[in-house]
Amino acid sequence: MASVITTRKLASFSLALAMSAVSVAAMADVMVGGAPMLASKDIIDNAVNSKDHTTLVAAVKAAGLVDTLKSPGPFTVFAPVNAAFAALPAGTVDTLLKPENKGMLTTVLTYHVVAGKWDAAALSKMIMDGKGMATIKTVSGGTLTAKASGAKVMLTDEKGGTATVTIADVYQSNGVIHVIDKVLLPK
């Protein structure tokens, strides 16, 4: 039993150390989708330059969330790449982008947003404090479950889908973005 606890503590410490190293390195401008993400710009002004986030940006515009994500925040955004949207069942994105589905689109998008600035070190601490798991309340009112997998953070949505943070700590003037490889879906 003692060796299991020691192993968990060592794993947690290793995760915290790795995430802290990523956080310090990420304070410099990060490249996402072929464009520098400038910490002096807000979430929207950076996201529009990422070639990997054109679907997300189109969805944010269609949902009328641009002004919200340009406000002071701070916000933590788990930002799915274009490939994540493309992996949804055929027609899902087109259906969500229709004006009559604006409410549903807004719910899906705000499910990827958390109030506050939760960088990798803060997420790692939450996971360690939760003995390997953290529950995160989203702006939509739903929850995400965060767990560590090696030096990566995995997010599980309310439907059981899992996304991996592929680029952590993309600092913005009004928060932080973590790039993810799947679209998270609320109940």
Side-chain angles (χ1 to χ4, degrees):
M1 180 69 173
S3 66
V4 170
I5 293 171
T6 302
T7 302
R8 281 188 179 162
K9 284 182 181 179
L10 283 173
S12 294
F13 177 74
S14 297
L15 174 64
L17 188 60
M19 297 302 265
S20 295
V22 169
S23 294
V24 170
M27 288 184 178
D29 296 330
V30 177
M31 297 291 286
V32 176
M37 299 288 113
L38 306 175
S40 60
K41 291 186 174 186
D42 64 48
I43 291 166
I44 295 297
D45 289 345
N46 272 321
V48 298
N49 293 318
S50 170
K51 292 177 184 160
D52 291 343
H53 290 91
T54 56
T55 306
L56 178 61
V57 169
V60 166
K61 288 177 180 177
L65 294 173
V66 170
D67 289 341
T68 301
L69 293 175
K70 286 183 76 56
S71 72
F75 303 105
T76 299
V77 176
F78 296 104
V81 293
N82 294 339
F85 284 99
L88 292 171
T92 302
V93 174
D94 291 335
T95 299
L96 285 171
L97 291 175
K98 290 180 179 178
E100 63 267 23
N101 295 324
K102 184 177 178 180
M104 188 179 354
L105 176 62
T106 300
T107 299
V108 170
L109 292 175
T110 57
Y111 190 65
H112 291 80
V113 180
V114 178
K117 187 175 183 178
W118 297 93
D119 64 9
L123 290 172
S124 176
K125 183 177 180 342
M126 287 172 53
I127 292 167
M128 284 190 304
D129 291 349
K131 297 182 181 9
M133 181 172 45
T135 301
I136 302 168
K137 189 80 160 172
T138 69
V139 172
S140 72
T143 57
L144 297 170
T145 303
K147 294 181 182 178
S149 178
K152 297 275 187 185
V153 171
M154 306 291 292
L155 299 167
T156 303
D157 64 27
E158 294 170 333
K159 291 191 173 193
T162 303
T164 301
V165 174
T166 58
I167 303 174
D169 294 344
V170 184
Y171 292 101
Q172 318 289 300
S173 64
N174 61 344
V176 62
I177 291 175
H178 301 289
V179 177
I180 58 174
D181 63 353
K182 299 280 191 273
V183 176
L184 299 164
L185 298 172
K187 284 185 192 174

